[in-house]
Amino acid sequence: DWGYTDDNGPSTWAEKYPLAAGARQSPVDIDTSKATSDNSLVDREIDWSYPSNCSYRIVNTGYGWRVDTYGDDTALSGGPLSEVYKLEQFHCHWGATNDEGSEHTVDGKSYAAELHLVHWNSEKYSSFKEAASQPDGLAVLGVFMEIGNADNAELEKIISLIPKIIHKGQDSQASFDLDFGSLLPESKHYWTYLGSLTTPPCNECVIWTVFKEPITISERQLEVFRSLKSVGEEDAIEPEEGKLVKNYRPPLPLGNRVLRECGP
Ligand SMILES: NS(=O)(=O)c1ccc(B(O)O)cc1
Ligand SMILES: [Zn+2]
């Protein structure tokens, strides 16, 4: 199966997942000199509403952790979006050391990690699965994460559950509330472009919005991410083996896609 090691990592994905070799792939390096500030975005501030009392389920996918939200009363609209999108799940990508880990880069700079909030176009399509096969089906918010001294309090609620899902396939139902909104930076300055899922099958179905301002996470919190395992409990391997120390795809060419910028 695909993964992030030398023998099943991003450079091998196109062998089994042909879309990975497409012309609208993600992530990309955000070359700020190529970004055009687009007036059509100015008066359409990106807007989200996530109720703060959300219960959720966290699962070890084998590729990282993923929080499945029950996106009933969530909504993302405005900015590059023509319809209202619902939050389906969020997850994160990170690296083995703090000088790598994000998927998008900014003028070649990597951040230590990148949070993805995955939404689907529930106005036009009847399910997430259907939306993931459409060019405007998904809207993903990308938030860079850099190392700071303080723990990220909201992320701590997720991190406290990771010891329960160390092995692939394990999940945990969370009881306390999560305020998704607090996982987003203060500034709404963002770049946007048309791209894809950054993991197989790499469907070209994502309207990407990447915020310029990073949020912070502590080194300890990031170490907890790296303690996740990519193998199931039944795979009897050495304790240090199978650790998910990195799960990011390096950038693909922007090609002739437009990169738009908006925000203060
Ligand atoms: N990494 S990502 O946000 O592009 C993403 C989102 C969803 C899925 B998926 O539902 O398989 C895969 C990748
Ligand atoms: Zn992702």
Side-chain angles (χ1 to χ4, degrees):
D1 195 6
W2 65 272
Y4 294 92
T5 65
D6 293 344
D7 55 14
N8 67 1
S11 60
T12 72
W13 292 352
E15 294 161 20
K16 289 184 189 159
Y17 303 95
L19 295 177
R24 176 188 151 165
Q25 288 293 292
S26 293
V28 296
D29 175 49
I30 293 167
D31 178 338
T32 55
S33 68
K34 275 190 201 159
T36 60
S37 55
D38 184 313
N39 297 333
S40 71
L41 288 174
V42 170
D43 54 6
R44 295 174 41 76
E45 193 179 64
I46 198 151
D47 191 45
W48 56 79
S49 85
Y50 302 138
S52 61
N53 60 344
C54 287
S55 68
Y56 53 98
R57 166 180 172 266
I58 186 168
V59 57
N60 178 332
T61 59
Y63 311 115
W65 57 264
R66 188 190 71 216
V67 170
D68 294 328
T69 60
Y70 307 110
D72 309 340
D73 42 4
T74 60
L76 178 72
S77 60
L81 307 176
S82 308
E83 287 91 19
V84 178
Y85 288 65
K86 275 193 191 311
L87 180 63
E88 171 77 7
Q89 52 103 328
F90 63 92
H91 61 273
C92 199
H93 301 265
W94 59 85
T97 55
N98 299 340
D99 59 353
E100 57 174 28
S102 63
E103 300 209 299
H104 291 89
T105 53
V106 182
D107 295 334
K109 172 192 163 64
S110 290
Y111 285 87
E114 185 173 329
L115 184 69
H116 288 160
L117 292 103
V118 183
H119 307 72
W120 62 283
N121 191 333
S122 57
E123 224 175 282
K124 276 177 84 170
Y125 308 114
S126 53
S127 71
F128 172 83
K129 191 167 178 299
E130 180 196 358
S133 66
Q134 309 293 330
D136 60 350
L138 301 190
V140 183
L141 299 181
V143 184
F144 292 122
M145 302 166 100
E146 66 183 5
I147 300 294
N149 296 329
D151 283 350
N152 181 304
E154 214 53 37
L155 278 175
E156 192 54 31
K157 295 178 184 173
I158 296 159
I159 288 163
S160 64
L161 296 172
I162 285 185
K164 296 183 182 175
I165 58 162
I166 290 295
H167 290 99
K168 179 179 181 179
Q170 292 179 318
D171 73 337
S172 173
Q173 186 64 35
S175 56
F176 28 75
D177 304 332
L178 198 63
D179 176 9
F180 304 128
S182 66
L183 294 173
L184 297 173
E186 276 172 34
S187 164
K188 288 195 173 182
H189 187 126
Y190 64 84
W191 294 284
T192 182
Y193 74 100
L194 297 182
S196 73
L197 302 179
T198 66
T199 63
C202 301
N203 301 10
E204 297 185 332
C205 63
V206 182
I207 297 173
W208 275 96
T209 297
V210 179
F211 288 105
K212 182 175 182 181
E213 181 187 323
I215 61 171
T216 59
I217 182 173
S218 68
E219 171 69 40
R220 179 196 65 81
Q221 290 181 309
L222 201 47
E223 277 304 321
V224 176
F225 288 0
R226 298 182 181 121
S227 71
L228 280 170
K229 294 214 166 198
S230 60
V231 293
E233 213 162 1
E234 61 287 346
D235 296 276
I237 55 172
E238 292 308 308
E240 279 310 299
E241 262 187 279
K243 286 178 77 177
L244 255 173
V245 289
K246 70 185 246 190
N247 60 359
Y248 70 93
R249 185 188 196 184
L252 287 304
L254 182 68
N256 62 1
R257 287 178 279 179
V258 174
L259 175 66
R260 295 186 289 167
E261 175 172 25
C262 180

